[in-house]
Amino acid sequence: MQRLLLSRTHAELIELTRHGFVAMVDEVSEAPAPDIPSPSDPTPSDEVTPEEPAQRCVGFSAVEVYSPKLAELQCLAVHPDYQRFGVGKRLVQMCVDRARDLGIMEIMAISSSDRFLENCGFHYSLPDQKRALFQQLRPRPYEDRS
């Protein structure tokens, strides 16, 4: 809704999940109060089975591997209610760790949140001053709508 993420095809989403990470939290459920048996009810069972807490996805991030030299942090998204609690930073670190485990030399990130990425250890250029330059070849899906 905020148009901060690129839309993805089903195939792209499947590929991103190969090296993707999901942040989940236990959902606080408003469970109804247990029924209190009346004296006329049959003997209630003493067996109580705890229910598994429902979980809610609050964030996602993935690393896309281009070559042994380069990977990209992609699709970093954290639900607004869970921002500024370390969820995004943890997702970024998991992607960086995955790239490192795969032996990737460099990981890049393209984002509108420069300060956040700098706090996660990203910089505008590498120590030997490499810079990424871009040229847009077609409008993004939401840019061609009038």
Side-chain angles (χ1 to χ4, degrees):
M1 290 187 310
Q2 295 172 323
R3 296 183 175 179
L4 297 175
L5 296 174
L6 296 174
S7 60
R8 307 287 180 166
T9 66
H10 185 71
E12 288 172 323
L13 291 174
I14 290 171
E15 182 62 25
L16 284 170
T17 60
R18 284 185 57 205
H19 302 293
F21 300 93
V22 178
M24 302 292 288
V25 296
D26 289 341
E27 187 78 13
V28 179
S29 63
E30 301 279 332
D35 291 331
I36 299 172
S38 67
S40 62
D41 285 344
T43 307
S45 170
D46 290 335
E47 185 178 323
V48 176
T49 52
E51 292 185 28
E52 290 292 321
Q55 291 204 313
R56 177 180 179 200
C57 174
V58 297
F60 179 81
S61 187
V63 61
E64 183 170 356
V65 177
Y66 297 127
S67 73
K69 292 182 180 180
L70 183 64
E72 181 182 356
L73 174 72
Q74 293 193 352
C75 301
L76 175 62
V78 176
H79 189 281
D81 293 346
Y82 292 87
Q83 292 177 1
R84 303 196 184 281
F85 291 101
V87 175
K89 194 167 191 172
R90 178 73 177 122
L91 288 167
V92 169
Q93 189 58 53
M94 293 173 82
C95 288
V96 169
D97 291 346
R98 173 64 57 91
R100 183 177 289 115
D101 291 346
L102 294 171
I104 306 300
M105 185 182 305
E106 300 166 352
I107 185 169
M108 70 171 191
I110 301 170
S111 173
S112 59
S113 303
D114 297 349
R115 182 166 290 160
F116 170 76
L117 289 172
E118 288 174 346
N119 289 335
C120 292
F122 286 81
H123 305 283
Y124 284 106
S125 62
L126 293 170
D128 55 1
Q129 300 302 310
K130 291 180 185 176
R131 294 183 184 267
L133 304 172
F134 298 90
Q135 182 180 66
Q136 188 169 352
L137 302 177
R138 63 182 175 86
R140 293 176 184 220
Y142 57 80
E143 290 175 340
D144 57 6
R145 297 182 199 146
S146 298

